[in-house]
Amino acid sequence: MKKITLLIGTICLFLGCSAENNLPTFKNTGNPLIKDKFTADPAPMVYNGRLYLYVGHDEYYEGQDSASGGKEFNITEWLCYSTEDMQTWTDHGSVLKPTDFSWGVGEAWASQVIERDGKFYYYTTVQAGEPYNSKVVGVAVGDSPTGPFKDPLGRPLVTDDMTPNGPRGWWNDIDPTAFIDDNGEAWLSWGNGTCFLAKLKPNLIEIDGDIEVIEVPRFVEGPWLHKWGDIYYLTYASMGQGRETIAYATAPSMKGPWTPQGELTGMAENSFTIHPGIIEFKRRMVSLLSQCNPDPGWSCRGHRTSQCLCG
């Protein structure tokens, strides 16, 4: 969902970028990485030697002074940043909004972009209006990493009636992660309270077959799929002692079985939520973690989000 982004992992470095045309750039000077905006839910993608980072933009509004009453977050659009050297960043600005979907009314929550054959597939969490009136997973497609992205279906990819509601009811279909295996098969995982997994059709915009449930301990939200060597990883936000932690499970294939491996991190500081994003970039595994743990002097209240860096 919505958090403060922090880099963690075996290497634990964060991204940067070089200027493209006349777009603004900035240097990685430590936590928080992005200092001019509150951002959430890091989703990295590598294309042509460049790392692209997609995040939600959490905008402050008057009266948003506490994490209560369902007004903690005001995430209105998805932003994109990119880097070649993990030190200098290019700010590509807004690349997609919930209202770019004809059926979308708000909530630019967690998303991920993947590429196949020069097309870029943007899987998103959106609040859908009539006749859905629930959180859904949408997909938009573009010809470049920064769009423009268009809805190819004219409807959500995953709707509330397609999944059992479980403990989260009408908003359990959130936080999609997409993964293309070495054999070309594409998979989608998502969920809040229940972790769902489904194969995608070759067109990447339709579900292929049944939606499965992955049983992993204390699953809350924010799944992320990736592969390292011959091992498949499912990393996700799990429930700690009152706030989220990051846990993971492994499998010999996307069809499982998924074996829980325990926690990667403790609880997020100053934030209930936490969200992972993991990618291989220039022969190192880069792990991003969304939470709030800012530098001294950076104003970051528990209901706000921003990009924080762990070096």
Side-chain angles (χ1 to χ4, degrees):
M1 286 171 57
K2 312 104 302 274
K3 316 79 191 175
I4 312 277
T5 300
L6 168 91
L7 259 184
I8 63 165
T10 307
I11 303 298
C12 238
L13 292 172
F14 208 30
L15 318 330
C17 137
S18 60
E20 289 185 358
N21 301 321
N22 295 319
L23 294 173
T25 64
F26 62 92
K27 293 287 187 179
N28 171 12
T29 60
N31 289 342
L33 175 67
I34 300 170
K35 293 180 171 64
D36 64 333
K37 301 180 184 74
F38 290 103
T39 53
D41 302 326
M45 181 197 70
V46 173
Y47 180 69
N48 281 350
R50 194 173 190 88
L51 193 150
Y52 292 83
L53 175 65
Y54 303 89
V55 297
H57 183 197
D58 189 1
E59 299 189 74
Y60 179 79
Y61 60 89
E62 194 66 31
Q64 187 185 26
D65 295 323
S66 66
S68 63
K71 296 182 179 180
E72 301 93 324
F73 311 104
N74 184 38
I75 304 181
T76 59
E77 60 187 354
W78 292 279
L79 309 176
C80 179
Y81 301 86
S82 71
T83 181
E84 290 180 338
D85 61 8
M86 299 180 73
Q87 292 303 317
T88 304
W89 289 85
T90 295
D91 181 349
H92 297 274
S94 177
V95 293
L96 188 66
K97 297 181 179 181
T99 50
D100 289 338
F101 298 95
S102 61
W103 42 264
V105 296
E107 308 288 336
W109 288 7
S111 62
Q112 186 180 350
V113 179
I114 61 172
E115 180 268 340
R116 173 182 269 175
D117 298 331
K119 294 286 186 181
F120 298 85
Y121 298 82
Y122 209 130
Y123 300 94
T124 69
T125 306
V126 182
Q127 176 67 33
E130 295 286 352
Y132 310 104
N133 296 321
S134 66
K135 295 292 186 293
V136 301
V137 174
V139 59
V141 183
D143 292 324
S144 84
T146 56
F149 295 95
K150 303 296 182 182
D151 177 9
L153 296 174
R155 57 176 172 77
L157 171 60
V158 178
T159 55
D160 188 47
D161 62 318
M162 296 169 62
T163 57
N165 275 330
R168 296 298 189 273
W170 59 270
W171 62 289
N172 64 349
D173 295 308
I174 67 170
D175 296 359
T177 176
F179 171 75
I180 299 177
D181 207 346
D182 297 335
N183 62 6
E185 290 183 346
W187 297 82
L188 189 74
S189 181
W190 68 96
N192 181 284
T194 305
C195 185
F196 299 109
L197 177 68
K199 187 178 176 183
L200 291 169
K201 291 184 178 181
N203 63 16
L204 301 188
I205 60 172
E206 295 178 279
I207 300 294
D208 186 3
D210 295 333
I211 296 174
E212 303 174 18
V213 172
I214 301 178
E215 299 290 348
V216 287
R218 302 188 306 280
F219 176 85
V220 180
E221 58 191 355
W224 188 274
L225 293 169
H226 80 281
K227 184 181 181 183
W228 183 253
D230 295 327
I231 301 175
Y232 296 78
Y233 291 82
L234 172 66
T235 309
Y236 59 95
S238 58
M239 181 52 64
Q241 298 299 314
R243 300 193 306 278
E244 291 179 354
T245 63
I246 291 294
Y248 75 109
T250 58
S253 78
M254 283 302 300
K255 297 180 181 179
W258 292 94
T259 302
Q261 300 293 344
E263 290 186 351
L264 288 173
T265 75
M267 292 181 290
E269 289 192 38
N270 306 320
S271 177
F272 174 82
T273 54
I274 194 168
H275 188 108
I278 302 169
I279 197 89
E280 182 180 356
F281 182 56
K282 297 191 175 180
R283 298 187 177 183
R284 62 178 56 176
M285 188 61 71
V286 178
S287 302
L288 300 92
L289 177 64
S290 178
Q291 78 167 56
C292 182
N293 187 15
D295 273 347
W298 176 250
S299 176
C300 185
R301 292 163 289 179
H303 62 289
R304 304 301 297 142
T305 57
S306 184
Q307 300 285 338
C308 297
L309 162 67
C310 172

